Every structure is written in C-alpha cells, then in structure tokens.
C-alpha cells in the first residue's frame, strides 16, 4: 500500500525550517522577495543555481529535508533558504558523501543553528533581567 502525502499549496500555512510562518500574502511582491522563506523559485529555476537536477531536488523532498510549497497547479516552489540547504547537500554529495548522510548532516547543521539562535536569545533575555535586577537593587539599596 502506498502512503499518500497531502500536497500543500501557497495559500496554506506551512512551518518553515526556522519555525517561522510564510510571509503574509498581502505584502507587495517586491517585499516578499526579501524574505529568505518566500517560495519564489520554480523547479527549473531552483535546480540550476544549486548545480543539481530536478530529480535531485525531488529526492530532497522525499527525504523531508526540504518540503517545497506547491502552487495551485501543483508545481513545487522553493525558497532561497531551501536552495541554500539543497546547495549544501549538493556540495557534500560532490565530495563523496552518500546522499542520505549528506541530508542528515545538513539537517543537523540546520538544527544546531536554530538551537544557537535560541540560546543567544535566551542569553540576551537573561542579561537584560540581570541588569534590571541590578538597577532595582541600586535604587532600593539592597545588596545583590
């Protein structure tokens, strides 16, 4: 029995790799191109800059590393962020890394980057809280 996957369209909400939601469709098109997660590239437009074939990109879709959004006509649309991930996989495969291992490596690199961003945000929040506590202590005369 073959499992059928639901095909997402541009009008549906899809979590992006960095847990952001796609940009609001009401933004002017020119503003959406500045967003690394806006699905602007078609399969043909995506394969060439990555240095890969459309079959390679379809394979990445099957691994789950990259899940392009589908247009109303069912065509895959890739974001610049997804193309960067695909290019990294292509680079690793070009160096002799098996495709499945390259996808795992890139997925882990992506996860680590997200963790580091989250850690940095928490650290900044903590530093802000410490400064607020220190100011409050200076005003009240309390010792830290």
């Amino acid at each position: 029995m073959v499992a059928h996957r639901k095909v997402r369209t541009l009008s549906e909400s899809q979590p992006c790799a960095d847990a952001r939601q796609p940009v609001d469709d009401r933004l002017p098109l020119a503003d959406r191109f500045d967003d690394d997660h806006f699905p602007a590239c078609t399969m043909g437009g995506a394969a060439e800059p990555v240095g890969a074939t459309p079959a390679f990109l379809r394979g990445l879709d099957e691994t789950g590393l990259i899940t392009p959004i589908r247009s109303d006509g069912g065509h895959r649309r890739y974001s610049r962020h997804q193309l960067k991930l695909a290019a990294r996989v292509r680079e690793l495969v070009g160096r002799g890394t098996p495709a499945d291992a390259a996808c795992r490596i890139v997925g882990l690199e992506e996860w680590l980057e997200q963790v580091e961003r989250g850690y940095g945000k928490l650290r900044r929040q903590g530093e802000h809280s410490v400064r607020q506590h220190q100011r409050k202590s200076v005003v009240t005369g309390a010792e830290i």
Side-chain angles (χ1 to χ4, degrees):
M1 185 164 106
V2 177
H4 295 282
R5 293 186 342 186
K6 182 179 184 246
V7 175
R8 282 176 263 191
T9 64
L10 288 173
S11 60
E12 294 179 7
S13 175
Q14 173 188 2
C16 296
D18 68 355
R20 292 182 37 210
Q21 295 298 317
V23 292
D24 190 339
D25 286 337
R26 294 171 290 180
L27 288 175
L29 187 59
D31 291 342
R32 288 186 268 168
F33 285 124
D34 290 338
D35 185 345
D36 276 349
H37 298 279
F38 178 69
C41 296
T42 62
M43 173 75 76
E48 185 179 339
V50 170
T53 63
F56 181 83
L57 292 176
R58 282 190 295 274
L60 293 180
D61 186 9
E62 290 171 12
T63 68
L65 176 66
I66 294 174
T67 305
I69 292 177
R70 300 288 184 128
S71 69
D72 290 337
H75 300 282
R76 289 175 173 89
R77 296 285 190 171
Y78 296 90
S79 68
R80 287 190 311 213
H81 179 76
Q82 290 171 327
L83 295 183
K84 288 175 188 174
L85 296 177
R88 177 72 175 124
V89 171
R90 180 69 189 96
E91 175 188 353
L92 291 171
V93 168
R95 292 181 181 174
T97 306
D100 59 337
C103 288
R104 182 74 175 139
I105 290 167
V106 171
L108 289 170
E109 289 173 344
E110 180 71 7
W111 174 79
L112 180 59
E113 187 177 306
Q114 289 176 16
V115 168
E116 288 174 340
R117 275 195 308 266
Y119 172 73
K121 182 179 177 181
L122 288 173
R123 193 179 80 230
R124 287 187 300 277
Q125 288 173 346
E127 289 170 356
H128 178 73
S129 295
V130 167
R131 283 192 302 272
Q132 282 184 324
H133 179 72
Q134 288 172 338
R135 277 189 228 123
K136 192 177 200 181
S137 297
V138 168
V139 171
T140 63
E143 289 189 32
I144 299 178

